[in-house]
Amino acid sequence: MPLVLTDQQRQILDGKKGTFLQRYMEWMYKWGTAMGARRMIPVENVLTGGLSAPGHMMAGASRNAVEKQREWMKALCRHRVKCTTFAHIAALDLESPTYIGTEPEDISFQQELIELGRQAGIHMTWTCTPYLVGNVPTKGQICAWTESHAVVYINSFLGARSTRHGGDSAIAAAVLGFVPEFGVLLDENRRAELLINVSTELETDTDWGLLGYYVGKIAGLRSPAFKNVAPPRLESAKQLCAGLATSGGVTMCHIIGVTPEAPNEETVFPMGQPREVYTVGRSELEETRDCLQNAKSDDIDFVYMGCPHATLQEIGEAARLLEGRRISENVSLVITMPYAIKAYAERLGYAEIIRRAGGHLMTDTCPCSAVFPKKRRMITNSVKHAHYSRAILGNEVILANSDDCIASAIAGRWVR
Ligand code: F3S
């Protein structure tokens, strides 16, 4: 069955609304056709990617990139986005740009992007957890989000509907106001295929991340349903989704009895029962931790928390552990978070406690997206960061729960 367009959509594809929109519609049409979509449906909520100054890593070459992006943003301003649109993570931190040595021209371009974004209708929030800071899609809302863990989160815990988007498809969705309808946008694709019996207690947020990472490998593109787990707190849910989307291409999962579309086992599986059943216990989680760790010694020089971007609760917990303490002089402690969460952390005194202890609060970006020191021996509470920082930053990695990360930052070595 072909992808059938409305008259309005056909006019855009035929170039009657200009070449800017036509290019995006051609792209969307091809993508929709390849994915078997039968129609384009209105989208209400977009998380874009790549709306940032490039950072100094590309130096001379980046000046061209900046010019191109400036021109493109100006074109975008003439068309404006058609729905709620937030910006995914940036390559630099406007709050403390010198911490990672950002070039002055990148800082001024980043500031210019805020104004261009405003004119285009995009909230330049620069976070991977927009659902913490004002963009909380409602049940059934059609979304087009980048950031793989956030896609799993909004599908699984909020009941919103988004396929996994890249930067181009998300921008296309925002400027056109349509997405091709396929995958989890359709009721029949929102059921689970795998049943995961969890036979161990999940004691920390990091345990949830390990569960997600282990199951993501088994699931690939399929949706798992978890059984025998207590309702996760937000921070644990965030880590579960990050794990699933890092080792696998999972778009949504279910926790039976917890997530909106999983009241019971019968509802979750298309035929009332799963295709495959797995049991995950403590040994599978520890095996997963061993795969993610590659540090050659317990001495560390970097502690990183806030992947995905931290909640206020996480910042408060870190501050409680650091109050009156001082981190080792050999260690940098960085916690990343959305700008709005940092503003709360400042007001509530958490930021000052963490700074006084020697830690650094970073917004807008993260070590994998900014120009960041490489080849360190680090400890993190995030399976996603453990996975990527080895490849992107060449780090030696230890994975530990949040309390042990802070204790290790103080001691200068891995404290278990
Ligand atoms: Fe966010 Fe960076 Fe982690 S984008 S999910 S903090 S790798």
Side-chain angles (χ1 to χ4, degrees):
M1 287 277 285
L3 198 172
V4 177
L5 299 181
T6 63
D7 290 347
Q8 182 201 3
Q9 292 162 351
R10 173 60 60 188
Q11 282 182 5
I12 298 172
L13 187 64
D14 291 344
K16 300 209 168 75
K17 305 286 179 188
T19 53
F20 185 83
L21 293 183
Q22 182 185 30
R23 216 175 44 244
Y24 282 113
M25 188 52 120
E26 280 174 354
W27 196 93
M28 229 27 164
Y29 184 77
K30 281 185 194 156
W31 187 40
T33 303
M35 299 308 290
R38 307 250 173 99
R39 59 179 186 159
M40 302 257 194
I41 56 171
V43 62
E44 296 178 321
N45 190 318
V46 171
L47 175 63
T48 68
L51 299 180
S52 169
H56 71 230
M57 93 181 107
M58 290 179 265
S62 74
R63 304 281 68 83
N64 280 339
V66 164
E67 245 347 282
K68 268 184 152 170
Q69 191 165 8
R70 182 179 282 119
E71 286 316 304
W72 175 80
M73 279 296 291
K74 285 181 178 167
L76 193 63
C77 290
R78 290 193 286 279
H79 293 276
R80 289 185 59 86
V81 297
K82 307 293 185 296
C83 58
T84 300
T85 304
F86 279 49
H88 188 8
I89 205 144
L92 57 100
D93 173 9
L94 261 190
E95 289 295 289
S96 53
T98 51
Y99 187 80
I100 47 176
T102 308
E103 300 284 322
E105 56 267 49
D106 289 328
I107 299 166
S108 60
F109 182 54
Q110 193 77 350
Q111 283 158 339
E112 187 184 336
L113 281 174
I114 292 178
E115 172 59 19
L116 288 167
R118 191 181 61 73
Q119 289 175 32
I122 303 172
H123 308 295
M124 293 297 201
T125 40
W126 289 313
T127 178
C128 50
T129 53
Y131 53 82
L132 297 179
V133 289
N135 191 357
V136 187
T138 51
K139 187 164 185 274
Q141 191 173 42
I142 303 298
C143 303
W145 278 33
T146 58
E147 177 41 45
S148 54
H149 99 274
V151 169
V152 181
Y153 183 83
I154 64 171
N155 276 302
S156 312
F157 288 93
L158 305 181
R161 299 186 173 208
S162 177
T163 58
R164 289 163 65 109
H165 278 259
D168 288 338
S169 67
I171 280 291
V175 294
L176 296 169
F178 297 104
V179 280
E181 187 183 41
F182 67 87
V184 295
L185 304 188
L186 293 158
D187 287 346
E188 61 267 31
N189 298 328
R190 293 182 68 79
R191 307 275 192 86
E193 289 182 61
L194 315 178
L195 177 64
I196 312 294
N197 268 311
V198 180
S199 65
T200 183
E201 205 170 317
L202 302 169
E203 290 163 1
T204 65
D205 303 332
T206 308
D207 277 353
W208 282 87
L210 287 167
L211 174 66
Y213 196 90
Y214 181 84
V215 172
K217 274 191 188 170
I218 299 170
L221 299 175
R222 300 174 295 175
S223 299
F226 295 93
K227 192 177 164 184
N228 299 330
V229 291
R233 68 175 195 157
L234 168 58
E235 292 73 16
S236 296
K238 184 166 69 101
Q239 291 300 335
L240 174 73
C241 296
L244 287 167
T246 299
S247 62
V250 172
T251 304
M252 78 176 289
C253 69
H254 298 274
I255 296 181
I256 295 168
V258 174
T259 55
E261 290 157 82
N264 52 49
E265 238 174 285
E266 292 67 43
T267 316
V268 152
F269 299 105
M271 309 299 285
Q273 50 189 1
R275 279 177 203 259
E276 293 167 28
V277 180
Y278 297 88
T279 297
V280 180
R282 184 50 52 183
S283 63
E284 282 77 15
L285 300 191
E286 291 311 322
E287 181 191 302
T288 306
R289 185 194 303 274
D290 290 346
C291 292
L292 284 162
Q293 299 193 129
N294 65 344
K296 297 188 179 70
S297 139
D298 286 1
D299 294 327
I300 51 163
D301 58 8
F302 180 38
V303 177
Y304 172 58
M305 300 163 75
C307 170
H309 271 185
T311 65
L312 188 60
Q313 177 66 17
E314 289 174 298
I315 311 298
E317 288 167 0
R320 181 177 51 76
L321 293 169
L322 286 167
E323 188 149 24
R325 312 295 300 276
R326 180 86 205 155
I327 65 166
S328 164
E329 59 184 21
N330 302 322
V331 171
S332 325
L333 165 66
V334 172
I335 309 177
T336 51
M337 65 204 73
Y339 169 72
I341 296 287
K342 180 157 182 273
Y344 267 125
E346 298 286 0
R347 174 182 283 184
L348 301 177
Y350 304 145
E352 188 48 35
I353 292 169
I354 293 169
R355 273 196 294 267
R356 226 182 289 131
H360 179 74
L361 285 74
M362 183 177 277
T363 74
D364 300 351
T365 190
C366 76
C368 286
S369 304
V371 183
F372 217 77
K374 294 185 168 60
K375 298 198 172 160
R376 300 171 108 181
R377 184 171 301 127
M378 68 165 307
I379 185 161
T380 181
N381 59 351
S382 160
V383 293
K384 177 169 179 175
H385 193 75
H387 175 100
Y388 284 115
S389 85
R390 293 193 309 184
I392 295 175
L393 301 172
N395 286 334
E396 287 180 35
V397 175
I398 297 164
L399 181 69
N401 67 52
S402 308
D403 289 7
D404 287 354
C405 284
I406 296 290
S408 302
I410 294 166
R413 63 188 156 67
W414 183 13
V415 175
R416 302 162 221 211

